[in-house]
Amino acid sequence: MKIKKAEILKLQIPLSNPFRVSFGTITKREIIFLKLYDQSGLIGYGESANLSLPIYEPEFNDSMILLLKNYLIPNILNKNISSINSLEKTYNSIRGNNFAKTALESGFWHLQSLKTNKSLRQLWGGKKTKIPVAISIGLGTNLKNSINRVIKYIETYQPKRAKLKIKPGIDVKLVSAIRKKYPNLPIFVDANSAYTLKDINIFKKLDKLNLLMIEQPLRFDDLIDHSILQKKIKTPICLDESINSYHSAKQAIQLKACKIINIKPQRVGGYWQAKKISQLATKYKIPVWCGGMIESGWGQLLNCNIATLKNFKYENDICLSKWYLADDILEKPIPEKNGVININEANKLFKINQKKLKKYTIEKIIVK
Ligand code: OSB
Ligand code: MG
């Protein structure tokens, strides 16, 4: 394919409900969206949802725009990009900045899918047709309303498992209360890096609450402290922020820093890298699942396709629009039944509602 022109869009979609985690609160969902114009007249759409500030990972939405505009897009314009390898070669010398790379890479995959008439699942080699998804429940402003919030979400959506966000002060008591009310519900927690090894007593207490896993308890870039913590608790540690490449996944496995990996394609530099990490994890019997950042329906569809690969063993954080977004840019919402998405049904929905795309675009840059 040959890309003649690109548009970088910054979308802002309101949330129906603020999403509060240990590092901050998301009230409007800012998402980087890309339109790639191929010489044959096709348009590929890419999405990579990061945050407005570097509070999750060092990268953030405006840094993505800068790199896409000044480097990643100019570097592919009018070149013959025949494969994912030739695309990755155009940015392999760029360190990090994985979310920006994924915006470009996902647009490339959409074009590949249009050109070959194959679904992303087929292009990526996924075999599953049913994708389990479940909700991630944000914090409230204090312990009491955090508990009430979790109960409300569980009662409303009846998820097969619940992921609870925790932070110092809203952790053991929150999880104990929910465990007591729902003794058999699979539950896990996500700390988004809010603790240190000094908090071992908290982890010992969480360890007794029969949790599926504890996601990213320690520093966003740490592996060694996680491996120390993993030796002291039975509950599997699942790494999110710390896994930002194939290399860090390999090191985490070698160090036994985790027993489960949350693969967020944007965070690891794209869907192809996500596939490679899932293959590596398979080799070492480390189950994975697909993480999310509250994508638009478009990003949810991309993530559903990667979650069809065989080592995606748990419910995925593919945040359905009805859970947090006040609106979406797809023509039709992704159908879900009892926490399961049928991929063949979902793959019919790769259609953008242009009116809504326009309505939610707050910034647009043309590169040609
Ligand atoms: O750690 O998984 C995370 C949202 C923003 C930033 C980080 C995270 C999240 C979520 C959202 O947990 C979960 C979802 O999209 O379903
Ligand atoms: Mg997480």
Side-chain angles (χ1 to χ4, degrees):
M1 70 180 69
K2 216 179 241 180
I3 314 279
K4 308 295 284 181
K5 182 177 103 168
E7 280 173 29
I8 309 166
L9 309 180
K10 189 198 268 181
L11 310 185
Q12 195 183 70
I13 305 177
L15 294 194
S16 50
N17 237 311
F19 187 69
R20 196 171 282 109
V21 305
S22 61
F23 58 67
T25 305
I26 304 171
T27 51
K28 291 179 192 143
R29 195 67 193 98
E30 250 188 25
I31 290 166
I32 301 302
F33 215 72
L34 214 57
K35 276 172 100 167
L36 299 177
Y37 294 79
D38 177 71
Q39 66 172 7
S40 62
L42 294 169
I43 301 178
Y45 291 96
E47 169 170 338
S48 189
N50 202 332
L51 300 184
S52 321
L53 289 172
I55 50 178
Y56 165 72
E57 286 262 342
E59 207 187 353
F60 61 111
N61 285 332
D62 286 340
S63 75
M64 292 166 65
I65 292 179
L66 202 63
L67 191 69
L68 283 161
K69 168 167 101 62
N70 291 342
Y71 188 87
L72 296 177
I73 295 171
N75 236 12
I76 57 154
L77 283 184
N78 299 311
K79 276 194 190 145
N80 241 329
I81 307 288
S82 54
S83 63
I84 179 63
N85 289 337
S86 56
L87 178 74
E88 285 187 334
K89 268 200 194 119
T90 69
Y91 52 67
N92 270 344
S93 62
I94 294 292
R95 295 181 181 173
N97 290 283
N98 289 334
F99 280 76
K101 292 172 184 170
T102 304
L104 187 64
E105 197 236 13
S106 54
F108 161 86
W109 283 117
H110 181 224
L111 273 175
Q112 265 315 59
S113 163
L114 293 172
K115 277 183 180 298
T116 56
N117 228 340
K118 286 186 178 159
S119 68
L120 294 173
R121 173 172 80 93
Q122 289 170 313
L123 292 175
W124 295 337
K127 295 277 185 292
K128 284 183 209 175
T129 55
K130 300 214 157 76
I131 313 305
V133 298
I135 195 164
S136 168
I137 308 172
L139 291 156
T141 46
N142 58 39
L143 175 65
K144 197 159 169 249
N145 67 32
S146 293
I147 295 173
N148 290 335
R149 193 183 171 86
V150 172
I151 292 171
K152 194 185 100 194
Y153 272 91
I154 292 176
E155 294 300 324
T156 310
Y157 297 112
Q158 305 279 325
K160 295 228 174 62
R161 65 92 171 126
K163 162 170 164 177
L164 318 187
K165 293 288 184 176
I166 56 167
K167 70 173 195 179
I170 312 184
D171 44 38
V172 176
K173 284 188 180 141
L174 167 70
V175 184
S176 304
I178 301 304
R179 174 48 80 223
K180 203 166 153 207
K181 191 166 165 68
Y182 304 100
N184 301 317
L185 181 69
I187 296 174
F188 74 95
V189 294
D190 183 2
N192 287 107
S193 307
Y195 297 86
T196 71
L197 282 178
K198 290 197 184 118
D199 298 308
I200 183 67
N201 289 335
I202 293 171
F203 295 113
K204 292 270 184 204
K205 285 179 192 154
L206 290 173
D207 208 20
K208 294 198 177 110
L209 292 170
N210 184 23
L211 300 178
L212 267 182
M213 65 192 93
I214 299 178
E215 186 178 339
Q216 195 72 32
L218 310 177
R219 245 183 90 107
F220 73 96
D221 56 358
D222 171 79
L223 295 175
I224 293 177
D225 285 0
H226 281 102
S227 83
I228 294 170
L229 179 61
Q230 183 67 91
K231 287 190 184 77
K232 296 184 179 172
I233 57 173
K234 295 189 307 290
T235 311
I237 289 177
C238 169
L239 288 178
D240 174 351
E241 284 88 329
S242 290
I243 306 296
N244 52 22
S245 62
Y246 182 88
H247 183 77
S248 62
K250 197 163 104 193
Q251 297 211 314
I253 294 170
Q254 280 168 352
L255 285 167
K256 297 189 168 41
C258 63
K259 293 181 180 166
I260 300 171
I261 297 177
N262 160 349
I263 299 186
K264 215 172 262 182
Q266 310 98 293
R267 198 194 59 231
V268 300
Y271 289 84
W272 203 242
Q273 293 303 312
K275 176 184 160 99
K276 286 189 174 168
I277 292 172
S278 83
Q279 288 171 326
L280 174 77
T282 306
K283 201 166 128 196
Y284 290 94
K285 300 196 163 52
I286 302 275
V288 308
W289 49 276
C290 181
M293 305 269 293
I294 310 185
E295 285 69 26
S296 84
W298 193 261
Q300 295 162 38
L301 288 175
L302 297 171
N303 285 355
C304 283
N305 278 276
I306 201 74
T308 62
L309 297 185
K310 70 166 188 270
N311 198 26
F312 285 71
K313 295 258 166 71
Y314 290 91
E315 281 80 10
N316 302 285
D317 266 1
I318 296 174
C319 185
L320 297 173
S321 303
K322 64 182 179 193
W323 291 340
Y324 286 106
L325 292 176
D327 200 2
D328 194 6
I329 52 166
L330 288 185
E331 287 283 3
K332 283 192 196 141
I334 301 173
E336 163 251 4
K337 228 193 234 157
N338 297 325
V340 176
I341 293 170
N342 177 317
I343 194 71
N344 293 324
E345 292 299 312
N347 278 343
K348 292 178 193 151
L349 303 176
F350 273 99
K351 290 193 185 80
I352 303 278
N353 179 320
Q354 296 296 336
K355 262 197 200 137
K356 288 190 178 175
L357 184 67
K358 206 168 165 197
K359 177 173 173 192
Y360 295 117
T361 297
I362 57 165
E363 225 177 292
K364 177 164 138 183
I365 296 169
I366 298 174
V367 190
K368 61 181 179 190

